[in-house]
Amino acid sequence: MQLHWLNDDERIEAFGFYKKFMPHARLTKKEKLGVFFAENSASKPIIAAVRLRPIGSYQLLTGILVHPGNRGQGVGHQLMQALKPHLESAPSFLFSLPHLRNFYQQHQFEGDRQAPAEIRDLFSRYTREGKSLYLMCHSSNEP
């Protein structure tokens, strides 16, 4: 599958995808928004999406979403493979839910205690709201 990065004019369908399957997500125009389209359907619906949010000279991988009908088929792994060059282009972080930590570890993310202040501050804000999350860094960013 090919990851398609959407420009501002192409984001309408992706907003609907997030609204339906991840209603708490807050998409912003400054984020890069990538999607997988179903290749075996004439209408080419979105089956997976991801966002890269710039934070200073870093990026936060966020909003990773696979359509419920496509889960368990390796789509998430394909998405992470397609993201690899982008994750290696700048120090990349994510906030993992506990049950997804092993998934991200399979894709070179590791627990990170030395994240930059901008990332730590945002992580602290989320966890103060009661969210159980793990701060992870892509290993290509390690010294």
Side-chain angles (χ1 to χ4, degrees):
M1 269 187 246
Q2 183 178 350
L3 184 60
H4 299 272
W5 293 101
L6 304 180
N7 63 41
D8 291 344
D9 298 333
E10 300 172 314
R11 292 177 168 226
I12 301 285
E13 185 181 353
F15 280 104
F17 181 73
Y18 274 104
K19 186 174 184 180
K20 185 172 184 177
F21 299 112
M22 190 184 279
H24 63 275
R26 297 182 202 122
L27 283 70
T28 67
K29 288 188 177 191
K30 68 180 179 178
E31 296 173 331
K32 291 172 73 175
L33 175 57
V35 299
F36 277 168
F37 292 107
E39 296 173 351
N40 58 352
S41 168
S43 62
K44 304 272 191 226
I46 294 173
I47 62 167
V50 63
R51 300 179 346 251
L52 287 174
R53 177 179 172 186
I55 300 177
S57 60
Y58 311 103
Q59 58 187 359
L60 182 67
L61 180 61
T62 186
I64 301 163
L65 176 60
V66 175
H67 186 286
N70 295 94
R71 293 181 186 161
Q73 300 173 26
V75 175
H77 291 289
Q78 290 177 53
L79 186 61
M80 295 302 293
Q81 276 302 116
L83 281 169
K84 191 173 181 178
H86 303 281
L87 299 174
E88 293 173 345
S89 69
S92 302
F93 299 86
L94 63 77
F95 306 152
S96 174
L97 293 169
H99 69 280
L100 293 173
R101 206 164 84 177
N102 182 55
F103 171 81
Y104 293 120
Q105 287 172 334
Q106 292 175 52
H107 295 283
Q108 294 182 278
F109 277 90
E110 302 169 350
D112 190 273
R113 295 186 193 104
Q114 302 301 319
E118 299 97 314
I119 301 293
R120 283 194 323 265
D121 291 347
L122 185 59
F123 180 76
S124 293
R125 206 164 68 215
Y126 280 114
T127 55
R128 273 196 307 270
E129 294 172 359
K131 296 177 183 174
S132 180
L133 299 169
Y134 293 93
L135 172 58
M136 301 184 83
C137 175
H138 195 262
S139 62
S140 66
N141 302 266
E142 295 293 317

